[in-house]
Amino acid sequence: AIRITQSPSSLSASTGDRVTITCRASQGISSYLAWYQQKPGKAPKLLIYAASTLQSGVPSRFSGSGSGTDFTLTISCLQSEDFATYYCQQYYSYPWTFGQGTKVEIK
Amino acid sequence: EVQLVESGGGLVQPGRSLRLSCAASGFTFDDYAMHWVRQAPGKGLEWVSGISWNSGSIGYADSVKGRFTISRDNAKNSLYLQMNSLRAEDTALYYCAKVGDGYKAWYFDLWGRGTLVTVSS
C-alpha cells in the first residue's frame, strides 16, 4: 500500500496568516491526490483534486501543488472558518490511503 | 437535493454482523463508483471499500478483507456494506462517499453524514 506522510500533525495560526501543509507519498502517484477539510462533527469536504484543481465553490485562498511524491496545500490568508482538520488522499492505486491529518488551530 | 444518507449502524457484540446501507439521491447513481470510508473516534480517515458503477470492480482494505462485503443495487440507488466477524477495532463512524466526475476521478466529492458502528460486549 502507498503510505502518505502528512505534516505537520497540528499547527497554530492567526487569521490572515499563510498556512502550508505537506503530504509525501511513499511512491510516485502522479497528480492523483485530493485534499479535504473536516470540521468537528461534520463529514469531510473536498477542497482540491488532481493535486491542484479547486473544487467548485471552494474559495480561491485554497491552492494545491505538487506531483509525483510531494504535495502542498496552501491557505493564502487564513479565515476564521478555516480552522479545521485537513487530510490528503491518494487515489493512484488501491487501497486508497489518507494522510494522518493536520489540525489547524487558533493561535 | 444531491445527498447520501447512511443507516444501519448501532451497538453490536464482537463476532456479530451488521449491514450498513447508503441511500443516494439527486444524481444518477449508476454512473458512479461508490465507497465506504470510516473514522474511529478521535482518529483519522480510513478507506474501507469501493465498488465500480456496475459492481465489476471491487476493492477492500486489508483490515476488512474477508470479513466485509460491499454491494450495490442500482435500481434502488443504494449502496451496502455487510460487516461480519466484527471486532472492537471496527468501531467507527462509517461514511458513504461518491467519486468525482471524469476519467480516473476517484476522489470523493460527496459524503454522507455517517452512521456510527460500536462493537462492544
Side-chain angles (χ1 to χ4, degrees):
Chain A
I2 297 174
R3 295 185 312 277
I4 303 293
T5 303
Q6 186 173 341
S7 62
S9 56
S10 66
L11 65 89
S12 295
S14 301
T15 54
D17 284 353
R18 182 182 182 89
V19 167
T20 299
I21 299 168
T22 63
C23 280
R24 174 165 288 177
S26 60
Q27 66 184 74
I29 59 170
S30 185
S31 295
Y32 293 103
L33 188 105
W35 290 96
Y36 301 90
Q37 176 193 67
Q38 187 179 33
K39 296 182 178 179
K42 300 292 187 181
K45 172 189 173 183
L46 176 67
L47 298 176
I48 287 169
Y49 60 93
S52 61
T53 303
L54 202 64
Q55 171 71 345
S56 175
V58 174
S60 59
R61 63 180 179 273
F62 291 92
S63 64
S65 65
S67 68
T69 60
D70 294 314
F71 302 86
T72 299
L73 172 70
T74 299
I75 310 173
S76 61
C77 183
L78 198 66
Q79 301 298 301
S80 58
E81 61 266 32
D82 301 335
F83 291 97
T85 300
Y86 294 84
Y87 295 93
C88 59
Q89 176 231 337
Q90 69 82 19
Y91 51 99
Y92 178 79
S93 68
Y94 268 156
W96 304 157
T97 44
F98 290 87
Q100 301 91 329
T102 296
K103 187 173 184 179
V104 177
E105 298 175 301
I106 301 172
K107 183 182 287 184
Chain B
E1 181 185 3
V2 177
Q3 64 177 356
L4 299 169
V5 180
E6 302 93 337
S7 60
L11 175 63
V12 61
Q13 294 179 327
R16 303 298 291 264
S17 298
L18 208 57
R19 189 193 195 209
L20 305 184
S21 299
C22 170
S25 59
F27 64 96
T28 306
F29 181 71
D30 54 13
D31 276 351
Y32 297 95
M34 297 293 296
H35 294 252
W36 290 98
V37 177
R38 68 184 180 183
Q39 187 168 36
K43 302 297 184 182
L45 301 169
E46 179 190 16
W47 175 79
V48 173
S49 182
I51 186 168
S52 63
W53 67 276
N54 63 352
S55 305
S57 177
I58 286 174
Y60 298 99
D62 286 344
S63 58
V64 307
K65 199 172 293 182
R67 299 187 299 122
F68 289 12
T69 302
I70 191 172
S71 62
R72 64 189 296 161
D73 185 336
N74 287 343
K76 296 183 177 180
N77 290 342
S78 294
L79 175 72
Y80 306 101
L81 187 67
Q82 177 67 43
M83 304 186 296
N84 298 332
S85 303
L86 282 161
R87 306 167 180 168
E89 54 265 36
D90 296 318
T91 294
L93 187 63
Y94 284 73
Y95 292 105
C96 168
K98 165 191 165 292
V99 300
D101 289 297
Y103 181 63
K104 292 189 176 180
W106 298 321
Y107 50 86
F108 308 130
D109 69 349
L110 179 66
W111 298 66
R113 292 188 172 185
T115 187
L116 182 63
V117 173
T118 303
V119 183
S120 175
S121 54

